[in-house]
Amino acid sequence: MLRCGQMMLAQALICRHLGRDWQWEKHRRQPEEYHKILQCFLDRKDCCYSIHQMAQMGVGEGKSIGEWFGPNTVAQVLKKLALFDEWNSLAVYVSMDNTVVIEDIKKMCWSPPQSSSAAYGSMHSHRSALGRNKNTAGFCSGWKPLLLIIPLRLGINHINPIYIEAFKECFKMPQSLGALGGKPNNAYYFIGFLGNELIYLDPHTTQIFVDSEENGMVDDQSFHCQQAPHRMKIMNLDPSVALGFFCKEEKDFDNWCSLVQKEILKQQSLRMFELVQKHPPHWPPFIPPTKPEVTTTGAELIESTDKLFELEEEFEILSV
């Protein structure tokens, strides 16, 4: 599920910097933004969306390192990590109680930019792509590109057939990033459908570790699908899923709201999720998330934790 979360976020970053129509071609020279995106996901402690950072941030969500994550947990982790990423400057909204609040999203995406005094790029200057390359996009005012994630439970033990058509309709939307989900003991990244089958990418493939070269380039072949995607019957889907959408501009979000009203909410008696204009009065006040003031990086936190375990082991040996 960690890898599936990375896939969805990487697709959002591609849409943000390269456009939705961009396609990867082997041995073709790629723009600088592409390589900066890759740098975000390398399996190193100092890369902002590495497996290390995601696992460590999951501890705050009650998941010990090594425990299995669900779609909602991954969504919450991405939401927190994005606060430290000023180059991509994403606003990540994770819906609560199956409800998307338009007012809250616009408040978050139009919130003033954060100060550069504690920029993530400067914090991660050691070998970090963000440290080497700052982009003024992180400090511009205006609409922040939106990554919208909607965690859902579409049934109890199995998916309720009443949700299937609405679920499939989400893949047709131009803002769609697919869905996180799977079946028991297997997490998949769903990218589309064909008839009553879902098309998905399977992260359960062991691959050789990839690091950036001296010139900053990355051997990127293993980052892309080298074979035809898999398919599975939609009724075999685990009911716990998370839909993803990317809205680069406010007009994209407004268009998404219109499509949801037209294609999903008005077509169903039992709605898959709710879309409301105003913040529900019985909810706690909505405060746009901001980057916490920290004096250490996530990488240093992981390293300090590793050292703590080493010291504990040495102490146990000495005690014996």
Side-chain angles (χ1 to χ4, degrees):
M1 186 57 74
L2 293 173
R3 292 297 190 197
C4 291
Q6 287 180 320
M7 291 184 203
M8 177 177 282
L9 177 59
Q11 181 62 23
L13 298 186
I14 286 174
C15 293
R16 190 220 185 297
H17 295 288
L18 305 177
R20 185 171 288 272
D21 295 332
W22 176 87
Q23 291 185 344
W24 176 77
E25 293 183 22
K26 191 175 181 179
H27 303 311
R28 179 183 177 184
R29 183 176 179 84
Q30 301 296 344
E32 180 184 359
E33 290 83 359
Y34 168 79
H35 294 286
K36 291 175 71 174
I37 292 172
L38 290 185
Q39 292 280 349
C40 295
F41 297 95
L42 294 178
D43 289 335
R44 297 195 321 221
K45 297 176 182 178
D46 62 334
C47 294
C48 55
Y49 299 116
S50 69
I51 206 83
H52 309 73
Q53 296 282 12
M54 294 185 69
Q56 183 65 46
M57 193 62 79
V59 174
E61 296 297 318
K63 294 290 185 180
S64 300
I65 294 177
E67 278 193 68
W68 286 14
F69 285 38
N72 180 61
T73 304
V74 168
Q76 298 296 338
V77 164
L78 294 178
K79 176 182 175 181
K80 290 183 176 181
L81 288 177
L83 297 175
F84 296 90
D85 177 13
E86 293 196 356
W87 174 61
N88 291 300
S89 188
L90 289 181
V92 181
Y93 180 91
V94 181
S95 66
M96 184 173 69
D97 294 341
N98 294 357
T99 303
V100 176
V101 183
I102 297 174
E103 179 184 50
D104 293 348
I105 289 178
K106 296 211 171 188
K107 183 178 180 181
M108 179 175 64
C109 290
W110 280 110
S111 60
Q114 299 176 15
S115 168
S116 61
S117 59
Y120 182 86
S122 61
M123 290 167 55
H124 281 243
S125 58
H126 176 57
R127 294 188 303 164
S128 171
L130 298 181
R132 287 195 300 268
N133 300 287
K134 288 189 180 182
N135 187 297
T136 56
F139 308 103
C140 290
S141 59
W143 175 272
K144 292 182 68 175
L146 170 67
L147 171 56
L148 169 60
I149 304 178
I150 308 176
L152 299 170
R153 186 80 188 181
L154 302 180
I156 301 176
N157 296 319
H158 304 281
I159 185 171
N160 188 330
I162 197 172
Y163 295 120
I164 289 179
E165 290 306 313
F167 184 71
K168 290 161 61 175
E169 199 67 39
C170 291
F171 290 100
K172 299 179 184 179
M173 297 180 179
Q175 300 86 359
S176 176
L177 293 174
L180 305 177
K183 56 186 181 181
N185 303 328
N186 284 289
Y188 300 138
Y189 175 36
F190 296 98
I191 59 175
F193 70 93
L194 180 63
N196 289 320
E197 291 185 319
L198 292 173
I199 303 170
Y200 67 91
L201 301 179
D202 186 354
H204 301 89
T205 302
T206 304
Q207 301 188 98
I208 297 175
F209 169 76
V210 176
D211 202 351
S212 57
E213 301 171 0
E214 292 184 1
N215 60 1
M217 304 294 281
V218 175
D219 182 2
D220 63 350
Q221 292 191 43
S222 64
F223 284 82
H224 300 277
C225 187
Q226 301 293 305
Q227 56 187 7
H230 304 275
R231 290 191 288 179
M232 64 174 275
K233 298 289 185 182
I234 195 168
M235 286 304 298
N236 292 334
L237 178 69
D238 187 277
S240 180
V241 299
L243 299 171
F245 303 93
F246 177 73
C247 303
K248 186 174 183 178
E249 300 177 5
E250 185 178 18
K251 64 180 181 181
D252 298 323
F253 176 64
D254 292 339
N255 175 256
W256 178 84
C257 292
S258 299
L259 289 173
V260 169
Q261 292 283 4
K262 178 182 177 182
E263 304 296 341
I264 295 180
L265 300 186
K266 290 184 178 180
Q267 303 295 330
Q268 277 192 288
S269 56
L270 185 60
R271 295 180 173 182
M272 191 164 59
F273 61 88
E274 295 288 343
L275 177 65
V276 299
Q277 184 68 43
K278 295 293 184 179
H279 185 85
H282 59 281
W283 282 13
F286 177 77
I287 302 175
T290 57
K291 180 174 60 181
E293 294 296 329
V294 294
T295 56
T296 179
T297 67
E300 291 168 347
L301 179 61
I302 295 172
E303 291 171 355
S304 64
T305 306
D306 293 342
K307 291 177 182 178
L308 178 62
F309 291 150
E310 292 173 2
L311 289 173
E312 288 178 347
E313 291 174 356
E314 292 176 3
F315 179 76
E316 290 175 357
I317 294 173
L318 290 174
S319 299
V320 173

